[in-house]
Amino acid sequence: MTDQSRIRFPQFYITSPQPCPYLPGRYEKKVFTHLLGEEPVSLNNMLSQAGFRRSQNIAYRPACENCQACISVRVIVDEFDPGRSFRRILARNADLRSGLMPPVATDEQYGLLRRYLDTRHAEGGMADMSRLDYVAMVEDTTVATRVVEYRAPVESGVAAPLAAAALTDTLDDGLSMVYSFYNPQDTSRSLGTFMVLDHIERARALGLPYVYLGYWVDGSRKMSYKTRFAPLEALFPEGWRRLPR
């Protein structure tokens, strides 16, 4: 019996319309379900492969009327070959040390997240995230998830402050980057790009074929960076299909 055959078909719900964060003048609706029951890990796997994203114990995907601009994308790990600019970013961050931490929120993580949000996303939907909200984001989970922390090397026996972090799910066929953030003052490292590159290598080491990057929206500056990590597969109504480079 397969994992999917043991999953009870979940109940789905639709949110009320809200202003679209990506395309001005449009409204978004989402379909969502709860990752609960006897097989939440298998359910998260199945829904992720169907284009859903996870937030705490909820899996959701856009369900907007007359719009299909949000497209799920994933990096094809075995075919990814970093070009010159990516290799420079990897070299600049070669001194960073990473740690795979349990899904337990810390004050240091939240402090870094607040600096990141206040600097980069002061008008975004997460701008008013409180300490309790962050604890829920990390710890309210029933699936296989970890926090990947990135730090400079220890100096004089004192651990360096946190430079970046990513909340990441491990799926049957890849790693799904749920949310990542970094020191916004450290502009020389390109930490956002580096974390994606690092996750590609982590997936490669684990023998996982994909890194899920969430939604790509053609025409949205916020999402344009994702197309740099080619080759990508995108989820269309007929299934996953490679995007042209």
Side-chain angles (χ1 to χ4, degrees):
M1 182 180 294
T2 66
D3 286 343
Q4 292 189 13
S5 67
R6 293 198 300 266
I7 299 171
R8 292 185 179 181
F9 194 76
Q11 290 185 316
F12 291 90
Y13 309 89
I14 296 284
T15 64
S16 59
Q18 300 291 329
C20 177
Y22 308 118
L23 299 176
R26 300 193 189 185
Y27 286 83
E28 69 168 1
K29 291 199 297 185
K30 295 175 182 176
V31 59
F32 69 95
T33 190
H34 297 278
L35 294 169
L36 302 173
E38 298 179 358
E39 296 288 342
V41 173
S42 296
L43 181 59
N44 189 42
N45 273 287
M46 181 178 69
L47 292 176
S48 296
Q49 292 160 9
F52 281 71
R53 295 289 288 168
R54 184 181 71 82
S55 177
Q56 297 171 227
N57 285 325
I58 291 175
Y60 68 90
R61 66 173 297 173
C64 306
E65 296 178 3
N66 304 315
C67 181
Q68 295 182 336
C70 291
I71 299 174
S72 296
V73 292
R74 60 190 187 185
V75 183
I76 305 173
V77 169
D78 284 346
E79 297 183 36
F80 179 80
D81 184 18
R84 182 179 301 175
S85 63
F86 282 159
R87 291 197 298 271
R88 286 198 294 264
I89 291 171
L90 288 169
R92 284 201 299 270
N93 291 283
D95 62 321
L96 291 184
R97 300 294 179 265
S98 62
L100 199 60
M101 315 301 291
V104 176
T106 67
D107 289 337
E108 186 181 26
Q109 292 168 6
Y110 178 67
L112 180 62
L113 173 66
R114 274 269 44 106
R115 296 198 303 275
Y116 172 77
L117 292 174
D118 292 344
T119 302
R120 294 297 183 95
H121 300 285
E123 305 299 325
M126 297 176 62
D128 59 351
M129 176 173 277
S130 68
R131 174 70 166 80
L132 289 178
D133 292 332
Y134 179 69
V135 171
M137 184 176 83
V138 174
E139 299 184 7
D140 189 6
T141 179
T142 55
V143 304
T145 191
R146 293 290 186 270
V147 179
V148 187
E149 292 188 341
Y150 300 87
R151 301 176 186 271
V154 174
E155 294 184 5
S156 303
V158 179
L162 188 63
L167 181 64
T168 303
D169 291 351
T170 300
L171 307 174
D172 287 345
D173 65 347
L175 298 178
S176 176
M177 299 184 70
V178 177
Y179 195 78
S180 60
F181 52 95
Y182 53 87
N183 181 358
Q185 278 73 49
D186 193 349
T187 57
S188 64
R189 287 184 178 271
S190 301
L191 287 165
T193 298
F194 170 70
M195 282 190 282
V196 177
L197 295 172
D198 180 67
H199 276 69
I200 293 171
E201 292 310 309
R202 287 175 179 273
R204 197 191 308 273
L206 292 169
L208 298 173
Y210 302 111
V211 171
Y212 288 79
L213 298 182
Y215 299 115
W216 167 68
V217 180
D218 192 13
S220 170
R221 292 181 60 186
K222 293 180 182 179
M223 297 295 189
S224 61
Y225 76 92
K226 296 182 181 182
T227 58
R228 298 174 58 205
F229 299 97
L232 289 173
E233 285 185 353
L235 183 59
F236 295 98
E238 64 272 19
W240 289 95
R241 191 175 75 222
R242 180 191 293 259
L243 283 177
R245 288 177 181 259

